[in-house]
Amino acid sequence: MPKAAQGRTRVHSFFLRSGQRSIDCLMLCPRANTAPIPRTDPSLCRPSSPRGPKAARSPSELEQPEPDGPVKDLPAERSHIGEALPPEMVTRLYDGMQRVNLTGTAKGPSEGVSQEQFTVSMSHLLKGNSEEKSLIILKMISATEGPVKAREVLKFTEDLVGSVVHVLDHRQQLRGWTQKKAPGCPPRVQVLAAQLFSEMKLQEGEKLLGPQQLDCDCDRAMIEDWVFRTPHVAMFLSVVIHRGFLLLCSSLNLSALLPERLVDQGREFESILDVLSVIYLNSHLPREQRHRWHLLFSSELHGHSFAQLCGLITQRGPCVMLLEDHDGHVFGGFASCSWEVKPQFQGDDRCFLFSISPSMAVYTCTGYNDHYMYLNHRQQTIPNGLGMGGQHNYFGLWIDVDFGKGHSKAKPTCTTYNSPQLSAKENFRFEKLEVWAVGDPPESQLAKSKKSILDVDPEAQILLESCGRSCHSQGLREVPEDDE
């Protein structure tokens, strides 16, 4: 049997026999009061100094079965975790545990994973600081104690991101979102992995940019700094372990990672978004708005009408708008306040622009000006359309009143958001545009939801009457009174 297959079989067997009991116990207790591990010490030994009667006990000391030696082989088909996680991540978890050195003496990897190796590894990955997490990550990447190549870190990141989608899909916890496969574009797994990997910095403080940097060495200090500054890495590891092992006492709150997807009944459609792009964008929203996304407008459902767009997104609270141009670039912006049709700029410094494809990035406010949001319609002297950042006729993102046209002008970057040109061409055309309300609806919207569209827009009623159309709800309901 190949070595990788043997590893998967052993870790499958071990997880079945004692892993679930160990990790459930680990989650029930506070993190052990272990002393920091010196950077020069490659071991993961627990402290041998005595503790007082009230000191916290190590997870491995709390009602766990005694270590029972190396793991014996069992058929992989019996393993539950083998279906929940991709084989490459199962192998990485097994290798990381097997390489934990509990004695502090130089020796080769053990024949299997002991109870203590499992517990220490899980304690570091789930409850450890960035230093402790980086130790296990390095062992999941390579068997050597020294630096690893940047391309090895990138491959680990791709495996980690892919495992998140895999396990959430397997557990049927995608919360309504799907894994989109766009033809001709890099898979979103690779796009998000590249974004996370781009946060890695060399010892001189420079980022690892460009293919030529993939052969650079990444030492333990660089990995630790990367884990500390890139919270997605720790979060994704937590999701893989919590959902891969189906922890009974899991503290993982999926709603903070992946919002609930709400689309009005009978209005399902294929969104531009997929689960990974939603996870990435959601992490940049204010915390109180991360639990729910509700579709307000889709050109596929509501047509190519700027008037319809204005009618459906105004006074609806914070929202995310995005589009896909004819060249496959996906980008948009977050509006932190309700859109209003008026000739002045609006919004605040919580707004941002973003790109999803061909690369993922978020561009926040520079403070140079307050041109965060702009929405105007039916004006003769000033531009009619929707814009974010920059200035009139030179927006970071512009949707023209002539629906299907827009521009993204940045030479070299947008003054408001420091964003580059988001579209493939400066003046672009698009077919698909979506707007999603995030968080709970504002109180004003709850009051308006009781009204008919004819109550809100008298012009619509006049238009219907002039066309000879009857109002079918007339006489069947009472027109609600306006709030005082």
Side-chain angles (χ1 to χ4, degrees), residues 183-444:
C185 297
R188 294 278 168 87
V189 168
Q190 295 180 11
V191 174
L192 180 53
Q195 196 286 324
L196 300 181
F197 176 74
S198 70
E199 297 298 323
M200 180 82 69
K201 290 185 178 181
L202 298 169
Q203 291 182 348
E204 297 80 11
E206 299 179 1
K207 288 190 175 183
L208 287 170
L209 301 175
Q212 69 277 7
Q213 301 283 15
L214 292 178
D215 290 323
C216 292
D217 289 333
C218 298
D219 59 18
R220 179 173 158 184
M222 290 174 59
I223 301 294
E224 179 185 339
D225 176 71
W226 177 59
V227 172
F228 178 77
R229 292 186 302 99
T230 314
H232 282 95
V233 176
M235 172 60 80
F236 286 174
L237 282 168
S238 181
V239 170
V240 166
I241 294 171
H242 280 81
R243 289 299 177 257
F245 287 85
L246 270 185
L247 301 189
L248 299 178
C249 44
S250 172
S251 60
L252 181 68
N253 180 13
L254 265 186
S255 64
L257 174 77
L258 185 62
E260 179 185 10
R261 178 182 184 269
L262 296 178
V263 177
D264 292 341
Q265 189 173 4
R267 307 287 285 178
E268 280 299 329
F269 72 109
E270 184 180 354
S271 174
I272 305 171
L273 292 163
D274 73 317
V275 60
L276 289 177
S277 55
V278 172
I279 287 175
Y280 177 68
L281 292 177
N282 202 53
S283 67
H284 291 85
L285 300 181
R287 290 189 178 274
E288 65 273 12
Q289 295 164 2
R290 296 180 184 178
H291 61 286
R292 181 183 297 115
W293 287 31
H294 185 183
L295 181 71
L296 297 181
F297 176 86
S298 164
S299 55
E300 180 179 329
L301 296 177
H302 303 102
H304 293 205
S305 167
F306 191 82
Q308 184 83 330
L309 172 67
C310 291
L312 291 174
I313 71 172
T314 52
Q315 303 301 328
R316 299 298 296 268
C319 57
V320 171
M321 180 195 68
L322 72 156
L323 60 90
E324 181 177 14
D325 68 17
H326 283 184
D327 295 288
H329 285 216
V330 179
F331 51 93
F334 168 64
S336 59
C337 309
S338 288
W339 285 100
E340 297 181 51
V341 178
K342 61 181 183 180
Q344 294 86 28
F345 284 96
Q346 51 195 289
D348 58 35
D349 59 5
R350 294 174 297 170
C351 298
F352 58 79
L353 293 179
F354 61 83
S355 172
I356 293 298
S357 181
S359 62
M360 289 191 185
V362 164
Y363 306 98
T364 56
C365 299
T366 62
Y368 180 83
N369 57 40
D370 60 356
H371 299 175
Y372 309 114
M373 301 160 52
Y374 176 87
L375 179 62
N376 212 354
H377 191 209
R378 298 174 180 171
Q379 296 289 326
Q380 295 182 351
T381 58
I382 52 180
N384 289 307
L386 183 152
M388 295 189 69
Q391 59 190 12
H392 293 321
N393 302 316
Y394 208 89
F395 284 90
L397 172 58
W398 174 256
I399 306 301
D400 198 79
V401 67
D402 185 4
F403 198 89
K405 297 180 180 179
H407 72 242
S408 177
K409 296 183 179 181
K411 293 181 179 178
T413 59
C414 170
T415 55
T416 309
Y417 297 108
N418 199 35
S419 55
Q421 180 179 304
L422 302 174
S423 50
K425 301 181 179 69
E426 188 175 84
N427 295 289
F428 61 83
R429 299 186 68 90
F430 67 91
E431 296 289 336
K432 297 180 179 179
L433 185 144
E434 299 171 14
V435 182
W436 297 80
V438 295
D440 296 321
E443 293 182 3
S444 59

